[in-house]
Amino acid sequence: MPKKAPSKIGGVALTVFGVLALAACTLDQQGGTAQPQGDDTSSKPSTDGSSLSVEQARERLEELRVEAENDPSGYDRSLFPHWTSKDGCDTRQVVLQRDGEGVEVDEDCDPVAGSWHSPYDGETFTDSGDLDIDHMVALNEGWRSGAHAWTTEKRERFANDLDSSQLWAVSASSNRSKGDSDPADWLPPLESSHCDYVVSWIEVKHTWDLTVDPDEEAALREVLADC
């Protein structure tokens, strides 16, 4: 059965976030708070969201290859090694530090304090255990869109991509509701986030040269039309 594109959401404004930055995971010896390295330690790393404008997203969408979805056998999450460690923090921990407010971590880089706003549903959490790190383009969706032909090393880079807007700290419930769906089948419950969401989706697909299927492309166009 063909996918049903989501209904248009009128009057939604896009908030364009700055370019994502990766804070190094050094700990404040006094209080155990993560401190970014570099000359300016007062600026907070950018949160999730694409650095693309809506117009740029429309241009990138035209450059994506539209193909019928291919679902080769053999998919397994282990083929996309994720939450790899660097400088003492794994990717999940880095995203939680990047996307939270007032985040403090312990000697193992695990958040012990802070608050997080989930952009998919507008909920706020103070326990990092209530959050998942969502892959904007889910690993299985990536597999179906071309990643099945990649090396394991490339799939690992995709699964831990901190340079694009691939990784989002969101409520566990919204992430599990999404599963591996594309925008033809699922959009965040918070309608005001739909523009940010599809712009980010297009950015990740374009960055990694992944295909879109016809229903997926139609859903992206429909949301962008009202952004």
Side-chain angles (χ1 to χ4, degrees):
M1 181 180 295
K3 300 175 184 173
K4 182 179 179 182
S7 299
K8 292 186 178 179
I9 307 301
V12 179
L14 172 66
T15 301
V16 180
F17 295 97
V19 178
L20 293 173
L22 170 61
C25 297
T26 48
L27 299 177
D28 185 316
Q29 299 300 319
Q30 299 284 325
T33 303
Q35 299 291 332
Q37 293 178 338
D39 295 334
D40 181 9
T41 58
S42 63
S43 59
K44 183 180 182 297
S46 299
T47 58
D48 45 40
S50 175
S51 60
L52 297 183
S53 67
V54 172
E55 189 55 41
Q56 287 172 324
R58 291 189 178 111
E59 293 171 358
R60 301 293 194 281
L61 180 56
E62 297 302 326
E63 296 170 357
L64 294 178
R65 290 174 290 122
V66 181
E67 297 180 3
E69 190 165 84
N70 182 21
D71 192 7
S73 61
Y75 168 77
D76 191 280
R77 284 179 67 84
S78 65
L79 296 172
F80 294 78
H82 51 289
W83 309 162
T84 54
S85 297
K86 181 180 180 182
D87 298 327
C89 301
D90 66 30
T91 305
R92 172 184 166 83
Q93 294 167 332
V94 171
V95 175
L96 288 171
Q97 291 183 58
R98 183 196 69 191
D99 293 352
E101 295 287 343
V103 178
E104 297 181 6
V105 300
D106 62 18
E107 64 275 9
D108 296 320
C109 216
D110 286 324
V112 294
S115 64
W116 292 266
H117 174 79
S118 170
Y120 289 177
D121 50 20
E123 299 291 331
T124 298
F125 301 91
T126 56
D127 183 348
S128 64
D130 293 327
L131 297 157
D132 281 353
I133 306 304
D134 178 46
H135 291 92
M136 169 56 61
V137 175
L139 303 182
N140 199 5
E141 167 65 20
W143 175 268
R144 296 191 296 259
S145 305
H148 62 274
W150 295 351
T151 64
T152 300
E153 180 183 11
K154 184 173 181 179
R155 288 193 289 262
E156 181 175 6
R157 294 199 306 271
F158 175 73
N160 296 275
D161 178 14
L162 288 158
D163 296 320
S164 75
S165 56
Q166 165 71 329
L167 300 176
W168 298 57
V170 302
S171 65
S173 59
S174 64
N175 182 47
R176 293 164 197 184
S177 171
K178 171 183 174 178
D180 62 0
S181 301
D182 69 34
D185 291 323
W186 189 90
L187 286 171
L190 187 65
E191 291 183 358
S192 60
S193 70
H194 288 186
C195 286
D196 282 341
Y197 187 84
V198 300
V199 168
S200 175
W201 184 277
I202 291 166
E203 181 202 12
V204 175
K205 284 262 174 150
H206 189 273
T207 296
W208 289 94
D209 192 27
L210 294 169
T211 62
V212 293
D213 66 57
D215 290 338
E216 177 186 351
E217 182 201 28
L220 294 168
R221 290 187 185 281
E222 185 173 359
V223 176
L224 280 180
D226 285 326
C227 291

